[in-house]
């Protein structure tokens, strides 16, 4: 377990740090070459008093805890999980390191209105959708087979007053109306009093689109889903990286001049 985040109170609050990275995991923060990942991870750990880290992922809190415990992946300060339906602070040394922030989740819970069972009934046996085994608090998720998928699923979800989201042409998520990565990272940034011009959001699939359209500086890393690139191309706030994963994040940090980028400078990424 990293010593850098032994206790959150030992570090300055994110609003006092020079730069905050809010990043998707699979294909983004966890993607790219080993050299680029190590460069980014080590820089973040070395400069934790100046760099804040927020995971914004479709993964559940249990995955986040297992990912960071005893590995070289830095613990985040906060995490937005479950495609925006979990907003939590991170306590690495605790037995329950991912702790939802109730103040920020009350609206999410109200929008969901305990409709999980209704969603599962409505989509039971629907062509092209296979229910995922993991149960989430405020979402229902399916693996999607695009060859057999029938788009009427979206109408069924809308009829329940909920939103549907397809990403990477293989995942189908049912979410509370108006809730996704973008609204949740915006809510957290405001809650923490972080200046939005010091934040970089990073992603690679359509479930990152709402995050990249928040108006904050963003990066679609190299190898991103083509449909995501089509949606953000021409947006001056979104950098289209050439390098995949962590290397694309490093590219964007330099392009936006968010933090010094120099391998020879101990105070740079």
């Amino acid at each position: 377990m990293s010593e850098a985040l032994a206790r959150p109170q030992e570090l300055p609050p994110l609003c006092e740090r020079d730069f905050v990275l809010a990043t998707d995991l699979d294909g983004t923060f966890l993607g790219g070459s080993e050299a680029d990942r190590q460069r980014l991870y080590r820089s973040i750990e070395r400069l934790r008093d100046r760099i804040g880290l927020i995971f914004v992922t479709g993964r559940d809190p249990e995955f986040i805890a297992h990912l960071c415990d005893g590995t070289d992946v830095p613990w985040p300060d906060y995490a937005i999980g479950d495609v925006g339906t979990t907003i939590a602070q991170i306590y690495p040394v605790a037995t329950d390191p991912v702790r939802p922030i109730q103040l920020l989740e009350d609206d999410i819970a109200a929008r969901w209105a305990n409709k999980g069972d209704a969603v599962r009934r409505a989509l039971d046996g629907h062509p092209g959708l296979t229910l995922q085994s993991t149960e989430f608090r405020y979402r229902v998720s399916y693996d999607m087979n695009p060859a057999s998928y029938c788009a009427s699923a979206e109408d069924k979800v809308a009829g329940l007053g909920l939103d549907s989201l397809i990403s990477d042409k293989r995942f189908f998520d049912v979410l509370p109306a108006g809730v996704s990565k973008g609204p949740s990272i915006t809510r957290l940034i405001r809650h923490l009093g972080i200046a939005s011009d010091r934040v970089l959001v990073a992603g690679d699939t359509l479930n990152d689109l709402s995050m990249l359209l928040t108006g904050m500086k963003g990066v679609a890393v190299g190898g991103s889903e083509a449909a995501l690139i089509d949606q953000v191309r021409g947006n001056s706030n979104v950098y289209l990286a050439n390098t995949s994963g962590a290397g694309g994040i490093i590219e964007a940090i330099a392009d936006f001049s968010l933090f010094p980028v120099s391998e020879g400078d101990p105070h740079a990424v």
Side-chain angles (χ1 to χ4, degrees):
M1 182 178 296
S2 168
E3 294 297 327
L5 271 179
R7 297 186 185 88
Q9 61 266 32
E10 291 179 354
L11 293 167
L14 265 62
C15 63
E16 295 180 7
R17 299 190 212 178
D18 298 334
F19 162 62
V20 175
L21 172 63
T23 178
D24 172 59
L25 292 177
D26 298 281
T28 308
F29 194 69
L30 301 180
S33 71
E34 176 68 16
D36 285 339
R37 291 196 304 272
Q38 289 303 315
R39 178 183 173 189
L40 183 60
Y41 298 174
R42 290 172 181 170
S43 296
I44 290 171
E45 290 287 40
R46 189 178 71 250
L47 300 164
R48 283 316 286 255
D49 60 333
R50 299 181 62 192
I51 298 177
L53 181 62
I54 302 172
F55 288 167
V56 190
T57 177
R59 297 284 195 166
D60 58 274
E62 184 177 359
F63 174 87
I64 295 169
H66 288 162
L67 172 68
C68 299
D69 193 9
T71 74
D72 59 359
V73 178
W75 283 91
D77 299 277
Y78 292 85
I80 293 171
D82 299 326
V83 201
T85 61
T86 292
I87 306 177
Q89 188 168 4
I90 306 299
Y91 295 83
V93 299
T95 54
D96 54 340
V98 184
R99 301 182 186 177
I101 303 171
Q102 184 174 348
L103 178 65
L104 299 182
E105 288 197 353
D106 282 347
D107 179 65
I108 294 171
R111 290 169 184 256
W112 184 242
N114 294 316
K115 292 182 179 178
D117 287 342
V119 171
R120 286 182 280 271
R121 287 194 299 269
L123 297 180
D124 183 36
H126 190 90
L129 296 182
T130 301
L131 182 66
Q132 293 181 4
S133 58
T134 303
E135 291 193 12
F136 305 100
R137 294 178 302 148
Y138 310 127
R139 94 187 226 217
V140 178
S141 295
Y142 296 82
D143 294 318
M144 188 185 85
N145 181 345
S148 57
Y149 170 70
C150 176
S152 63
E154 295 154 52
D155 295 328
K156 292 179 181 179
V157 170
L160 293 171
L162 302 171
D163 288 347
S164 58
L165 175 65
I166 296 172
S167 59
D168 206 22
K169 297 181 180 179
R170 60 194 182 102
F171 299 117
F172 184 96
D173 290 302
V174 181
L175 306 169
V179 175
S180 60
K181 289 184 177 183
S184 290
I185 187 60
T186 300
R187 184 178 290 117
L188 178 60
I189 291 298
R190 289 175 178 167
H191 173 73
L192 298 175
I194 302 169
S196 61
D197 61 356
R198 291 191 288 106
V199 178
L200 176 70
V201 296
D204 73 316
T205 71
L206 274 178
N207 75 14
D208 301 311
L209 177 62
S210 64
M211 181 167 61
L212 293 175
L213 296 181
T214 56
M216 291 183 274
K217 296 178 178 66
V219 55
V221 299
S224 289
E225 185 179 356
L228 176 68
I229 297 298
D230 290 343
Q231 292 282 346
V232 300
R233 193 183 302 278
N235 186 325
S236 61
N237 285 328
V238 180
Y239 177 77
L240 302 182
N242 295 308
T243 313
S244 62
I249 294 173
I250 295 170
E251 272 188 50
I253 293 171
D255 186 78
F256 286 122
S257 300
L258 284 164
F259 200 83
V261 176
S262 172
E263 293 190 67
D265 183 351
H267 301 293
V269 171

